[in-house]
Amino acid sequence: MLPPTVPLVWRRSPRARRMTLRIDAQDGSVVVTMPERISQRQGLAFVHQHMDWITSSLAALPEKRVLADGHEVMIEGSPVPILHEPDARRGTWLDSDGLHVSGDAAHTERRVKDFLHTLAKEHLSKAVALHSKRMGLVPSRVDLREVRSRWGSCTRKGRIMLSWRLVMTPPEIRDYVVIHELAHLQHFDHSAAFWSLVDRFCTNGRTGRLAAERWLSQNGTALLRAA
């Protein structure tokens, strides 16, 4: 049985052809996706059959990163100290010493996240504008979201969604994701032509693209565990 502290989330999908399990890296919940015809009793049996995988996957999750004084937050791929400044009246600011947060310590986490969201909007907007001009591909709209499984997505109507957490990644990783989604405006698939377009604009081409994918695979879960 699952520990009582581990949430079990049920999701029904008309597009699902079979039951699947995944671990939500952000909150550590176990997500069960089921076709509409499957009963919850069958779903529970499926969960019990895969308890070994669930247990090992939960144990492999990185520790939840605390956004508080004395801890660190990743900004553009580098760990930055969080420095609580209780008597300051400057809000939140970044300098060579770290990320300074003024006010009541109880609000530090929220203020760090607010700062990261603002920084993400600035940096990702610039990255989209830059690569959109380079590639000659213009999205109809760009949104930043809190996502749990994908770093970006693109709709057939040309709307691009990016994870705000990309502000935590090194610039070349952020740029790869932006280029990847912009390329979908021309190729709405993952065909050879799509990858050729991505590789043409990625730093160091295919080698850089594969390095970015490895970085996300190795470090992405830890970023999702940060607040």
Side-chain angles (χ1 to χ4, degrees):
M1 293 294 292
L2 286 175
T5 55
V6 177
L8 187 58
V9 180
W10 301 95
R11 291 184 179 166
R12 292 192 179 275
S13 170
R15 295 183 296 177
R17 296 185 178 181
R18 58 187 177 85
M19 287 186 283
T20 60
L21 286 173
R22 71 175 179 86
I23 305 298
D24 187 315
Q26 191 171 345
D27 63 10
S29 61
V30 178
V31 181
V32 188
T33 300
M34 303 186 298
E36 293 184 331
R37 68 180 184 279
I38 298 295
S39 68
Q40 189 160 327
R41 182 176 180 179
Q42 290 172 296
L44 280 171
F46 182 72
V47 170
H48 291 156
Q49 290 168 10
H50 293 83
M51 280 304 302
D52 288 346
W53 177 86
I54 292 171
T55 301
S56 62
S57 297
L58 289 171
L61 284 177
E63 286 189 18
K64 191 84 169 173
R65 190 179 290 272
V66 179
L67 300 183
D69 183 57
H71 294 265
E72 295 178 331
V73 60
M74 294 292 288
I75 298 179
E76 294 203 313
S78 298
V80 175
I82 298 172
L83 307 170
H84 180 224
E85 307 279 2
D87 299 322
R89 293 293 181 268
R90 293 181 54 187
T92 307
W93 70 98
L94 181 65
D95 62 21
S96 58
D97 293 327
L99 183 61
H100 303 259
V101 185
S102 63
D104 191 327
H107 303 307
T108 297
E109 180 174 324
R110 175 181 59 78
R111 287 175 174 162
V112 169
K113 289 189 72 173
D114 287 347
F115 177 87
L116 291 176
H117 278 271
T118 300
L119 196 65
K121 184 176 182 179
E122 176 187 343
H123 288 195
L124 287 168
S125 294
K126 288 180 178 178
V128 171
L130 171 65
H131 295 296
S132 178
K133 184 175 181 179
R134 290 177 64 221
M135 300 172 73
L137 297 168
V138 181
S140 60
R141 178 175 170 177
V142 178
D143 292 316
L144 302 189
R145 294 291 176 87
E146 175 67 90
V147 294
R148 295 173 183 264
S149 58
R150 292 188 293 176
W151 296 101
S153 63
C154 179
T155 71
R156 289 189 177 275
K157 292 184 178 181
R159 179 182 177 184
I160 286 176
M161 182 284 300
L162 299 169
S163 168
W164 69 266
R165 292 173 187 269
L166 286 168
V167 75
M168 300 180 183
T169 70
E172 65 271 19
I173 308 302
R174 172 201 67 207
D175 288 348
Y176 160 65
V177 175
V178 169
I179 291 167
H180 183 119
E181 300 311 330
L182 286 170
H184 278 310
L185 298 175
Q186 184 166 322
H187 302 287
F188 200 72
D189 53 31
H190 287 103
S191 62
F194 167 82
W195 291 117
S196 177
L197 179 61
V198 172
D199 292 346
R200 190 193 320 167
F201 289 97
C202 268
T203 302
N204 297 323
R206 182 174 184 271
T207 300
R209 184 250 295 179
L210 294 176
E213 291 174 347
R214 283 195 300 273
W215 193 96
L216 286 170
S217 176
Q218 294 167 1
N219 299 280
T221 301
L223 299 186
L224 291 171
R225 297 287 285 169

